[in-house]
Amino acid sequence: MPLLSTFATATGATLAASAFLLRRKISKNWVSLQKDTTLLEDQTIIITGGNVGLGYETAKDLSKRNAKSVIIACRNIEKGNEAVSSIQKATGMKNVKYMKLDLSSLDSVRAFLKKIEEEVPKVNVLICNAGVWIPEDANTEKTKDGYEMHFGVNHLAHYLLATSLKPKLEASGNGRIIFVSSSLMKSGQINFESKDFIYDGRKKDEESKSNFGPPPAYCDTKLMNAMTCRHLSKVLPSTVSTYSVCPGFCRSSLGRSVKTSFLQKALVAPIMLLIQRTALQGAQNILYATITPKEKLESGMLYKDGKLETDCNDYVDSIGEDMAKKLCELSDELLKPNE
Ligand SMILES: NC(=O)c1ccc[n+]([C@@H]2O[C@H](COP(=O)([O-])OP(=O)(O)OC[C@H]3O[C@@H](n4cnc5c(N)ncnc54)[C@H](OP(=O)(O)O)[C@@H]3O)[C@@H](O)[C@H]2O)c1
């Protein structure tokens, strides 16, 4: 018996040590700015969906860097205020505030923009971070304006914010827009012939319908983020730069609507512990694009772990600037006020 227990203990310790070393190897090249001391004094930063996950960790870090104002733009007043007080408690700073923004309603986006117009003289950084991965239920498959939810929230509302905030970003003399995209954009497609991505979203093939694997409409909108970033870098004034980032595969509430059984969760948990980043680790990629001096970055490009993400950027290249322009023109058309 003592022999058996010694064996079990030794096996457990070996497994734990191997897992620790493997995790260290996997995370070796992940970007981290936690020791970086750059300050963002005088900067006003808006971050969508800053109440949880990567957005929350980013907002907390920006607040610590003494930004003039960090505006958490999110849809739920309680969650927004909770995030603000939790950041204030953690940092001791009073530079963070909540403003209401529901990206699934263009009226809400326009009301938010009106408030910014009235109250905020300049915006240094807009971080388009909020995102949806499979709407929660049938009632949330479409936005209030009738668009497919991934398209409406991940792309169209952020496009409206980015283009409308141009004068405020220009007023800062050194503006930047950051799109939180994903390497999954490489599975994205945009069919301008059928345009079904606008109202219905691309669906999974019948044969591959399972809980696992990314929703095509999510991948498509993450591609739209990177294409918008690329196109805006060409048409915005030169003082306003645009970057997109992939934060890596992170632990967050993004997959909250995915139905998985207890058994499925238990089976994948050890792998997740090995490969998934924490929200704080994922946020480092957003921070990288926010605080790295512009001379070291290339406007319009997608970054991951402190480097240009070649495969993603090549994919945007292969689709072509014409398509990126077409997407932005289509978005402008959809956003035209009804006569
Ligand atoms: N986690 C990953 O592995 C991963 C990988 C690649 C890219 N990303 C991207 O990273 C970004 C942040 O995601 P996350 O992982 O931090 O997920 P998360 O924890 O679920 O955060 C998503 C945020 O988006 C907000 N949001 C959703 N719908 C909204 C709406 N209609 N109006 C306003 N805000 C809305 C959520 O607000 P509520 O709290 O009110 O729902 C929440 O604040 C997303 O763009 C995602 O696509 C994540």
Side-chain angles (χ1 to χ4, degrees):
M1 203 57 182
L3 194 65
L4 206 66
S5 116
T6 313
F7 177 73
T9 313
T11 311
T14 311
L15 278 176
S18 313
F20 174 77
L21 290 174
L22 191 57
R23 169 88 182 168
R24 219 164 66 166
K25 194 166 174 218
I26 290 171
S27 60
K28 204 173 81 192
N29 295 322
W30 291 352
V31 71
S32 175
L33 292 161
Q34 289 182 72
K35 293 196 179 127
D36 173 279
T37 53
T38 305
L39 292 177
L40 301 169
E41 279 149 348
D42 202 34
Q43 295 216 11
T44 296
I45 301 167
I46 299 175
I47 177 158
T48 67
N51 58 296
V52 284
L54 309 183
Y56 172 82
E57 293 298 343
T58 305
K60 184 158 78 179
D61 184 290
L62 297 172
S63 166
K64 271 193 228 156
R65 289 176 192 275
N66 210 15
K68 182 177 174 204
S69 175
V70 179
I71 300 170
I72 290 184
C74 66
R75 59 180 161 175
N76 181 299
I77 186 162
E78 281 84 31
K79 285 187 186 179
N81 286 330
E82 219 174 278
V84 169
S85 42
S86 158
I87 291 176
Q88 284 176 344
K89 215 165 135 196
T91 64
M93 306 286 292
K94 296 273 176 239
N95 56 356
V96 53
K97 68 173 182 178
Y98 156 77
M99 279 174 75
K100 166 100 179 158
L101 171 67
D102 180 355
L103 294 159
S104 71
S105 155
L106 293 175
D107 280 349
S108 172
V109 180
R110 291 190 174 108
F112 172 81
L113 286 165
K114 189 162 178 277
K115 252 186 131 201
I116 294 286
E117 179 57 41
E118 290 162 0
E119 295 175 15
V120 181
K122 63 171 178 92
V123 175
N124 296 80
V125 190
L126 165 68
I127 305 178
C128 299
N129 161 77
V132 61
W133 165 292
I134 308 183
E136 281 168 40
D137 54 45
N139 295 326
T140 55
E141 278 172 8
K142 302 239 184 213
T143 67
K144 305 220 169 39
D145 310 277
Y147 298 111
E148 189 277 325
M149 189 60 79
H150 294 95
F151 177 76
V153 169
N154 298 357
H155 167 67
L156 194 62
H158 279 128
Y159 179 80
L160 176 58
L161 278 181
T163 48
S164 308
L165 286 173
K166 179 177 118 176
K168 297 280 173 191
L169 288 155
E170 224 182 332
S172 75
N174 200 14
R176 45 180 109 186
I177 307 174
I178 293 151
F179 293 90
V180 183
S181 176
S182 161
S183 314
L184 287 175
M185 56 83 96
K186 286 176 286 178
S187 304
Q189 302 167 18
I190 302 177
N191 182 347
F192 284 104
E193 299 300 309
S194 76
K195 297 204 180 113
D196 62 357
F197 58 88
I198 301 177
Y199 299 106
D200 296 321
R202 191 161 60 89
K203 304 280 184 276
K204 281 188 179 169
D205 297 337
E206 276 309 315
E207 311 92 73
S208 65
K209 254 189 191 165
S210 78
N211 273 336
F212 292 107
Y218 174 83
C219 301
D220 295 353
T221 53
K222 291 290 127 181
L223 172 61
M224 290 176 204
N225 290 155
M227 288 167 70
T228 304
C229 169
R230 188 67 76 80
H231 181 67
L232 292 184
S233 75
K234 303 217 158 41
V235 296
L236 287 177
S238 59
T239 53
V240 182
S241 310
T242 64
Y243 309 107
S244 37
V245 298
C246 169
F249 180 32
C250 311
R251 218 167 299 143
S252 74
S253 56
L254 190 64
R256 66 188 97 164
S257 320
V258 181
K259 310 265 179 301
T260 39
S261 67
F262 177 75
L263 185 65
Q264 283 170 326
K265 278 192 190 128
L267 285 173
V268 297
I271 304 169
M272 295 301 182
L273 279 174
L274 275 181
I275 63 170
Q276 248 185 345
R277 302 177 197 221
T278 60
L280 176 63
Q281 287 168 327
Q284 303 305 304
N285 278 293
I286 307 176
L287 292 165
Y288 179 80
T290 310
I291 66 178
T292 301
K294 283 189 179 184
E295 311 82 76
K296 295 191 178 160
L297 299 173
E298 199 179 330
S299 185
M301 304 304 269
L302 191 145
Y303 286 83
K304 182 178 182 187
D305 288 326
K307 295 192 290 282
L308 285 166
E309 223 294 357
T310 311
D311 291 349
C312 291
N313 289 309
D314 286 353
Y315 190 54
V316 177
D317 286 340
S318 73
I319 289 171
E321 171 56 22
D322 284 0
M323 291 297 138
K325 184 167 176 245
K326 203 166 168 177
L327 173 68
C328 294
E329 285 170 355
L330 171 73
S331 308
D332 287 330
E333 195 61 37
L334 295 172
L335 292 167
K336 262 193 194 153
N338 296 329
E339 257 113 57

